[in-house]
Amino acid sequence: MSKVRTSSYSNTQILQRVYSYVKPYRSLFYFSLILTLLLAIIAPVRGYLIQVMVDKGLKESSAGIPAWLNNWLDKLSGFNVVEFIIQIFIIQIVLLFLETLFRFLFTYITAKVGQNVVNDLRKTVFNKVLSLPLSFFDKTPIGTLTTRTVNDIESINEIFSDGLIPIIADILIIIFTLGTMFWMDWRLTLICLIPFPILIIATYFFKESVNRSFISVRNAVASLNAFAQEHLTGMALVQSFTAEDREFKKFEKINTEHKKANIKSIFAYSVFFPVVEIVLALSIGLLVWWIANFKIEAGKLIAFILFLNQIFRPLRMIADKFNVLQMGIISSERVFVLMDTPCAETAERIPDPWPKTFNGHITFKNVSFEYKPNVPVLRNISFDIPAGRSLAIVGSTGSGKSTIISLINRLYNHQSGEILIDGIDNKDIPLATLRHHIGVVLQDVFLFNGSVLDNLTLRNPDVSFEQVQHATRLLGIHDFIMSLPGNYDFKVLERGASLSMGQRQLLSFARCLIYNPAILILDEATSNIDTESELLIQNAIDTLMKGRTSIIIAHRLSTIQKADHILVLDKGEVVEYGTHYELLAEGKNYAKLYEMQFKNNPA
């Protein structure tokens, strides 16, 4: 079982933090607390009135009824038994109506407060996820984040609907009912409470058993979400290697753990509830025995049976509600651990106002970087790209090409050296400003489920349809889009499954051009393109690069040759730098790469 507690938060601190989100809804929250008090007051009154009706109305006895109440009832009914019973009946109906109304309002308001808190929390958490550094996603399964954002936050809602406030309401009902019972007959009340130690012991073991089961269930749900998310995303790979049976067995194992955890909780419930019924039966049995031996009024017998049911009804559920509360606390802690994860850094040392345009002059000065401590990926990298010029980066797999790109737009922060944009350290530039001026086209194009237009604008209302069409016409892909069913409203399936690789890449180029970046980064953007799309894409690249500082990572000779300079990396170090022909003349690493990759396939 994975660890449940992942921080040093106490339960009290977690609840205080959860209830800090109640502040905008304080009036509703306090109203729900008032309703709990009203429900607790009404609960024993109805039982007591039944005793009064039976003892005074049917037996015409006033034993156990305070003088002031007895006189008031006599005046109310005019000393007529039938009228007296009718009056008590009417009072009971009014109390029942009030209790029903208060319980409806209580249930609705607590649920409403919970949903409002969940709504605010979910927005806060998702906004937090958007601001987390890319390194966090390298270490955290997407399914786990899905569980935090959806399942765990939904569990927080149960703190309100089935947790702390309902527990307070149940405890108040028990206290007021017991108080009424002691006031009516303290000896009889103590007799009824003799079996209670059995219930207390059973409740403790039930709470512990269900709590362990719920923790197992929550961990299994996180594992199921992570496994399903990963395998649904990688389904093509699973099927390509005919790994369906193996992966199904893994899923079956996780699912079985989930089932076993649920069955354990079901077993605990199936034992606990009969124990509660047995204890209730013992209490009623002792009550009847005492009344039969000491000749106490029949009305008191009926009232005490009602009181015992009023006590045992919440007791049946209170242990379960404590477990719901505990699971809400555990879920809250997981959410707060995520919320307390440090965000991507933002700089505050920027002149105000920040310039709206970049020239795009990029300088690396002795930049070093490592993903893991003492495992360097880049070592003392230095180069300079004047504004509007282009640089191609080549090297073997793992040489650090893509890492350089990630450092420029601060998906990761370098440990030493300087990366300057127009002479300003990129760590001193607000992330939103920095990334607004950098356009990135990756090898693996990601398209969202939605229309072509949505994917081009990323649903940015500031981007007009005219801007979109201008960009697509410049790139020469307007006709291709118009040939799709629905044109710009064509439905793109998740990850662009309804389009070819070349079509997806063309849309990614258009998306980049629409935002008109000063710096263009192409990371293997042409590596998976078919021959038919290559010419169109090459023209799109030429259009994109005009007037922009460009960094190209590519294996296509035509793209690399057009770069003003070429940087050759090997094991995180710069081993060559120059133009295409200069590097060929040197006959070193680049020339060997050219010989191996391009000479026999010149296009």
Side-chain angles (χ1 to χ4, degrees), residues 23-42:
K23 288 182 180 178
Y25 318 104
R26 279 192 299 260
S27 57
L28 288 175
F29 177 70
Y30 293 143
F31 186 42
S32 69
L33 293 179
I34 294 172
L35 289 171
T36 63
L37 185 61
L38 292 174
L39 286 168
I41 293 172
I42 289 175

Side-chain angles (χ1 to χ4, degrees), residues 115-273:
Q115 288 299 328
N116 281 325
V117 170
V118 164
N119 179 62
D120 294 346
L121 256 177
R122 188 170 282 130
K123 289 189 292 187
T124 302
V125 169
F126 190 71
N127 187 53
K128 175 71 178 187
V129 170
L130 292 175
S131 67
L132 289 172
L134 200 61
S135 56
F136 177 83
F137 298 95
D138 293 339
K139 298 177 287 186
T140 308
I142 300 301
T144 299
L145 290 176
T146 303
T147 302
R148 298 292 177 271
T149 310
V150 181
N151 301 68
D152 284 336
I153 291 182
E154 194 58 41
S155 294
I156 295 174
N157 173 52
E158 295 178 357
I159 291 179
F160 299 91
S161 61
D162 291 309
L164 189 58
I165 303 178
I167 288 173
I168 293 172
D170 288 343
I171 291 174
L172 285 175
I173 288 173
I174 293 171
I175 290 172
F176 274 78
T177 302
L178 280 174
T180 303
M181 291 172 67
F182 274 104
W183 172 69
M184 289 174 60
D185 193 324
W186 65 269
R187 294 182 183 87
L188 185 57
T189 302
L190 290 176
I191 292 296
C192 293
L193 295 179
I194 287 175
F196 259 55
I198 301 173
L199 183 61
I200 293 171
I201 295 170
T203 300
Y204 172 78
F205 283 106
F206 169 76
K207 181 179 74 68
E208 292 300 313
S209 176
V210 173
N211 190 32
R212 288 193 298 269
S213 300
F214 279 3
I215 292 171
S216 299
V217 169
R218 188 63 62 192
N219 290 333
V221 167
S223 298
L224 280 172
N225 281 341
F227 189 90
Q229 173 78 32
E230 183 180 44
H231 284 73
L232 289 174
T233 303
M235 188 57 67
L237 185 65
V238 172
Q239 294 183 353
S240 297
F241 285 87
T242 61
E244 294 93 337
D245 290 340
R246 292 193 301 275
E247 299 308 312
F248 177 77
K249 288 177 181 177
K250 293 178 184 177
F251 178 82
E252 193 174 34
K253 183 178 180 181
I254 299 173
N255 197 41
T256 300
E257 292 299 318
H258 181 265
K259 178 193 70 174
K260 288 179 179 178
N262 273 300
I263 289 176
K264 286 180 180 178
S265 66
I266 293 169
F267 177 78
Y269 281 99
S270 64
V271 171
F272 178 71
F273 288 146

Side-chain angles (χ1 to χ4, degrees), residues 7 61 99 209 237 276 286 339 395 409 473 477 526 564 571:
S7 76
S61 169
E99 184 178 9
S209 176
L237 185 65
V276 175
L286 289 170
M339 291 173 63
N409 58 13
R473 290 182 189 278
I477 65 172
T526 61
D564 295 312
K571 298 179 181 179

Side-chain angles (χ1 to χ4, degrees), residues 170 173-175 177-178 181 189 191-200 202-203 272-287 304-321:
D170 288 343
I173 288 173
I174 293 171
I175 290 172
T177 302
L178 280 174
M181 291 172 67
T189 302
I191 292 296
C192 293
L193 295 179
I194 287 175
F196 259 55
I198 301 173
L199 183 61
I200 293 171
T203 300
F272 178 71
F273 288 146
V275 169
V276 175
E277 294 298 328
I278 291 171
V279 174
L280 174 59
L282 288 173
S283 293
I284 293 175
L286 289 170
L287 169 67
F304 265 63
I305 291 174
L306 290 174
F307 290 151
L308 287 174
N309 276 285
Q310 282 180 342
I311 292 172
F312 276 86
R313 185 175 63 242
L315 280 175
R316 288 187 188 99
M317 301 305 300
I318 202 165
D320 189 26
K321 288 177 181 177

